[in-house]
Amino acid sequence: MSDQLGEILKNTLKAIESGKEEIFLIAETSRTETHRLVNELSQLKSDIEEIILQVDFQEKVERRMRQNLMEVNRAYQEHTQEEMMKTYAEAKDAQVKLQLLQQKEIQLRKRRDDLERSLTQMEVTIERAQNLMTQVSMAISLLQGGVVEALQTQSHEQRLEMGLRVIKAQEEERRRVAREIHDGPAQTLANIVLRLEIAEKLLELDTSRAKSELQDLKNLVRANLQDIRRIIFDLRPMALDDLGIVPAISKYLDNFQDNYRINCDLRIEGRERRLLPAMEVALFRLVQEGMTNVAKHAQTAKVEICLTYKDEWTIATIRDYGKGFEVNTAMNSPGEHFGLVGMRERVEMFSGYFSIQSTIGKGTTIELSIPSNQEGGTTT
């Protein structure tokens, strides 16, 4: 029975791995198509701007030709038959040209709308593929991690549930990092390669332009390096290990202010102290996720963050003054507030407490409490 189960497990893993590769190919193909659509849409918008200018100009020409025709008709005795026919032909030509340009504008606008719908659908496809990749990776991790043994005995149910949560958190983190690298450094590096090829050709044709291009590329590389350092910091801030949670959050908020132009006010209450490493990482990630939600959805100019140290609990409060939302709706049908559900689940993993208060038009307050389980000693 054990051998049969092992063979079934092996075949299942093989099939899932194959399916995972297919999903990855779908996602990559969709990204390539998305990139093509974005470029085409950009060119199309430029064409629409140009055709609008042409239509505006031709409307003026057509009005002038029509006015000329009216004047010739009123004073027909002063004009020859040939002059009248010429004026009529010019007015007719202007009218036809205007109609053709207007029709072209309609066609371009329709194509633009179609492209925007296609682009939206493509982004949905990529999102679904990424979600499916996460679920498949979770399934593979569980199967490889001994889910069969867990199913054979009821005493491992709690361990399995914890494993599911840990794996989910890991996969969400990997997905976030992959998305940041793809949307940031990866895109920039592709642009750098393309522009280097242009600079290489310019060296033979126009040295001054080549130098200017290389200067721009140098600035682009610096910005890309900054993005990479930011991603590394998000993965595991060095200040978190060396100095503790408060300096790590303070540095993160400095970067947050620079990136999003949202003023951040950090306040510490109680006696600051070091926590267990796992608790500090959890607290940092929770604050990070809360601030990400603020940047994405709150539409606020200011955020207040408070860390409160008590004997048995460490409490983090994030308050914004943005647009607010309906809490029950968001938590029961997450939609764009899926990150809040993830925060609640992560807090519950540490046997903590999570609460949200929000008022439409007045802002949102998130409060999370996790057991201190302090490591000992206070920060200096």
Side-chain angles (χ1 to χ4, degrees):
M1 180 65 179
S2 178
D3 291 342
Q4 289 179 344
L5 196 57
E7 188 64 26
I8 292 172
L9 179 59
K10 180 180 177 181
N11 292 334
T12 302
L13 278 169
K14 186 177 179 180
I16 294 176
E17 285 283 5
S18 176
K20 183 179 178 182
E21 289 297 321
E22 291 296 325
I23 297 168
F24 177 77
L25 288 174
I26 291 171
E28 287 302 300
T29 302
S30 298
R31 286 193 182 97
T32 302
E33 179 64 12
T34 297
H35 183 67
R36 186 191 69 78
L37 289 174
V38 167
N39 290 337
E40 185 178 347
L41 185 59
S42 177
Q43 180 59 50
L44 193 57
K45 288 180 178 179
S46 178
D47 293 342
I48 289 173
E49 290 177 2
E50 178 64 26
I51 198 69
I52 288 173
L53 292 176
Q54 292 180 24
V55 168
D56 289 344
F57 176 78
Q58 190 59 31
E59 283 178 342
K60 294 176 183 177
V61 172
E62 193 270 341
R63 281 196 298 268
R64 189 170 67 249
M65 292 297 101
R66 193 158 20 97
Q67 184 66 29
N68 289 343
L69 181 60
M70 290 172 61
E71 291 174 358
V72 168
N73 285 335
R74 279 198 299 264
Y76 68 92
Q77 294 177 342
E78 300 175 8
H79 299 277
T80 64
Q81 185 72 18
E82 184 179 346
E83 288 175 337
M84 294 178 65
M85 291 297 295
K86 182 181 178 182
T87 304
Y88 175 81
E90 288 175 347
K92 187 65 176 176
D93 289 345
Q95 185 183 46
V96 170
K97 187 174 181 180
L98 175 60
Q99 290 174 346
L100 290 173
L101 287 172
Q102 289 173 333
Q103 186 61 36
K104 185 176 180 181
E105 181 184 351
I106 291 171
Q107 291 173 352
L108 287 176
R109 288 180 181 274
K110 184 178 183 302
R111 177 59 181 160
R112 179 201 59 191
D113 295 342
D114 291 342
L115 279 178
E116 288 177 341
R117 283 192 292 270
S118 297
L119 192 56
T120 300
Q121 186 58 45
M122 204 59 65
E123 289 169 349
V124 170
T125 300
I126 293 172
E127 182 72 18
R128 287 177 177 173
Q130 289 175 336
N131 289 336
L132 195 53
M133 284 280 288
T134 299
Q135 295 169 9
V136 170
S137 296
M138 287 175 59
I140 291 172
S141 298
L142 284 171
L143 290 171
Q144 290 176 335
V147 69
V148 175
E149 290 81 356
L151 291 173
Q152 289 175 339
T153 171
Q154 294 297 317
S155 62
H156 288 170
E157 284 184 355
Q158 191 171 7
R159 186 183 302 174
L160 178 60
E161 182 181 357
M162 181 61 69
L164 275 168
R165 291 181 175 180
V166 171
I167 291 167
K168 182 178 179 181
Q170 288 175 337
E171 290 302 322
E172 286 297 327
E173 191 67 9
R174 288 170 183 166
R175 178 183 167 190
R176 182 188 66 80
V177 173
R179 184 168 57 245
E180 285 211 30
I181 292 174
H182 177 270
D183 294 343
Q187 296 280 11
T188 307
L189 287 172
N191 185 29
I192 289 171
V193 171
L194 178 62
R195 293 179 65 177
L196 279 172
E197 292 175 354
I198 296 172
E200 188 177 22
K201 295 176 181 177
L202 285 174
L203 282 172
E204 301 175 0
L205 303 173
D206 189 337
T207 306
S208 61
R209 281 187 62 193
K211 288 181 179 179
S212 176
E213 185 72 17
L214 288 173
Q215 183 64 40
D216 289 342
L217 281 171
K218 187 163 64 175
N219 295 332
L220 195 60
V221 170
R222 285 199 185 103
N224 200 45
L225 183 60
Q226 187 177 19
D227 277 346
I228 292 172
R229 285 173 177 159
R230 177 181 56 78
I231 292 171
I232 292 172
F233 176 80
D234 286 346
L235 281 173
R236 180 74 182 193
M238 288 180 287
L240 191 60
D241 294 321
D242 298 337
L243 303 175
I245 186 68
V246 173
I249 289 178
S250 180
K251 182 171 176 57
Y252 169 77
L253 293 177
D254 287 341
N255 292 334
F256 184 92
Q257 285 188 141
D258 292 339
N259 291 333
Y260 297 104
R261 299 292 186 266
I262 298 175
N263 184 48
C264 300
D265 180 20
L266 176 63
R267 190 172 75 256
I268 308 299
E269 295 182 356
R271 191 180 184 188
E272 181 185 337
R273 59 181 180 271
R274 294 302 300 264
L275 307 176
L276 290 172
M279 295 296 184
E280 289 190 338
V281 172
L283 191 56
F284 179 84
R285 292 297 181 217
L286 287 164
V287 171
Q288 188 180 43
E289 183 63 40
M291 295 301 293
T292 299
N293 273 281
V294 169
K296 286 183 177 179
H297 309 299
Q299 298 178 12
T300 183
K302 179 181 178 181
V303 187
E304 295 174 353
I305 303 93
C306 179
L307 287 182
T308 304
Y309 289 92
K310 295 188 176 181
D311 291 339
E312 297 181 355
W313 297 91
T314 302
I315 304 168
T317 306
I318 302 172
R319 182 181 181 185
D320 68 67
Y321 297 86
K323 65 180 184 179
F325 61 95
E326 176 54 50
V327 175
N328 290 334
T329 302
M331 300 306 287
N332 294 328
S333 302
E336 64 178 14
H337 295 283
F338 185 77
L340 294 176
V341 178
M343 289 178 67
R344 182 180 63 188
E345 291 177 350
R346 187 173 291 197
V347 170
E348 290 173 351
M349 283 177 62
F350 288 91
S351 301
Y353 298 96
F354 179 81
S355 69
I356 305 177
Q357 294 180 345
S358 186
T359 303
I360 301 295
K362 294 185 177 180
T364 301
T365 300
I366 299 174
E367 183 176 290
L368 51 96
S369 307
I370 60 173
S372 292
N373 293 338
Q374 65 185 80
E375 192 176 71
T378 58
T379 59
T380 56

